[in-house]
Amino acid sequence: MTVLILGGTAEARDLAAQLHERGVDVVSSLAGRVTRPRLPVGEVRVGGFGGVEGLTAWLRENGVQAVVDATHPFAERIAANAFHATQAAGIPLLRLARPGWQPTEDDRWHWADDLEEAAALLPGLGSRVFLTSGRQGLAAFADLDPLWFLIRCVDPPGQPLPRRHEVVLDRGPYRLDGERALMTEHDIDVLVTKDSGGAMTAAKLTAARELGLPVVIVRRPPRPSAPETADAAAAAEWVLNQ
């Protein structure tokens, strides 16, 4: 059988490896937004499909028998396209999604529905911001001139950016001692992130907790209703049962 994995995440790479070992033809699709992505085993395609119609046609032309959406929790467009395309093509869809983060009683979390709301919360929480929401959507923070930002992303961000900022290019997984040192060195007093979930980037939350810093967290956008699992092994079994 041929399976399409909409990937770019560690979970997607794990699933591709498990299916490849069991003789399944896997095609992993990456959005192409990162310059040097970590590649999964098996066939890889990079770039979009041309919306719902393009993805529907591609699924049919390539004889795909199942689709696993293992994209980032904030990849709204491809998630919606995958749902509608698999419905149109009559192909089963599974969502492989890591659980979101959960606060402890010692955390000082402030939830926001989007980056704009996150930016609006900042002036009342701190003046030196560790911004780890990725390189897209940074325009939401561009007008906060009194605040200073340490912006971390994988690839260089585009304009506009906050007037007072420093950019650090890095890729997870991150270690607790490194996150703690980074925040201390730059006198960070508030952290901004998206609820990406998973262990690869969770150390910043632990460091913020230890340092007593407030954290602004952007909630995950809603996804179309589909069967879902958080476990790559369970996703592999689901594929083999289609």
Side-chain angles (χ1 to χ4, degrees):
M1 66 186 305
T2 299
V3 176
L4 173 65
I5 300 176
L6 302 171
T9 60
E11 293 80 9
R13 293 189 293 274
D14 188 4
L15 175 59
Q18 292 191 40
L19 291 176
H20 185 76
E21 289 177 358
R22 300 172 79 167
V24 177
D25 290 332
V26 177
V27 180
S28 295
S29 176
L30 308 182
R33 293 177 177 172
V34 177
T35 303
R36 296 182 301 277
R38 293 190 177 101
L39 297 178
V41 298
E43 182 180 344
V44 178
R45 70 178 306 280
V46 178
F49 292 90
V52 174
E53 292 184 0
L55 178 54
T56 303
W58 191 93
L59 294 174
R60 289 170 172 163
E61 292 166 2
N62 289 272
V64 173
Q65 294 162 273
V67 176
V68 179
D69 175 9
T71 55
H72 190 275
F74 286 80
E76 299 175 69
R77 181 177 301 176
I78 186 58
N81 288 351
F83 175 80
H84 293 297
T86 52
Q87 290 280 305
I91 297 172
L93 170 69
L94 178 71
R95 171 73 180 150
L96 174 55
R98 70 186 74 146
W101 290 316
Q102 298 297 321
T104 72
E105 61 181 12
D106 297 321
D107 284 307
R108 299 169 57 196
W109 287 10
H110 303 262
W111 289 94
D113 288 333
D114 51 36
L115 290 175
E116 287 72 20
E117 184 176 350
L121 290 173
L122 285 178
L125 295 175
S127 60
R128 295 184 64 84
V129 185
F130 187 18
L131 184 53
T132 66
S133 58
R135 66 188 180 97
Q136 295 185 324
L138 297 180
F141 304 90
D143 294 331
L144 297 176
D145 290 347
L147 277 59
W148 182 89
F149 290 83
L150 178 64
I151 302 172
R152 183 170 68 191
C153 42
V154 176
D155 291 324
Q159 299 293 331
L161 295 174
R163 182 175 62 85
R164 303 172 62 218
H165 74 270
E166 178 180 334
V167 174
V168 56
L169 302 181
D170 201 359
R171 182 200 303 260
Y174 303 106
R175 295 173 57 90
L176 175 57
D177 54 353
E179 298 292 71
R180 188 192 300 113
L182 187 66
M183 294 184 193
T184 302
E185 176 186 348
H186 291 87
D187 295 322
I188 298 300
D189 56 14
V190 59
L191 167 67
V192 178
T193 186
K194 293 178 176 178
D195 183 19
S196 300
M200 288 184 64
T201 61
K204 60 189 173 187
L205 298 173
T206 305
R209 182 188 313 130
E210 292 182 354
L211 295 170
L213 305 184
V215 180
V216 178
I217 300 190
V218 180
R219 292 185 179 91
R220 295 182 176 190
R223 295 283 186 130
S225 179
E228 184 172 313
T229 183
D231 181 62
E237 291 300 324
W238 178 89
V239 168
L240 294 170
N241 288 326
Q242 300 308 308

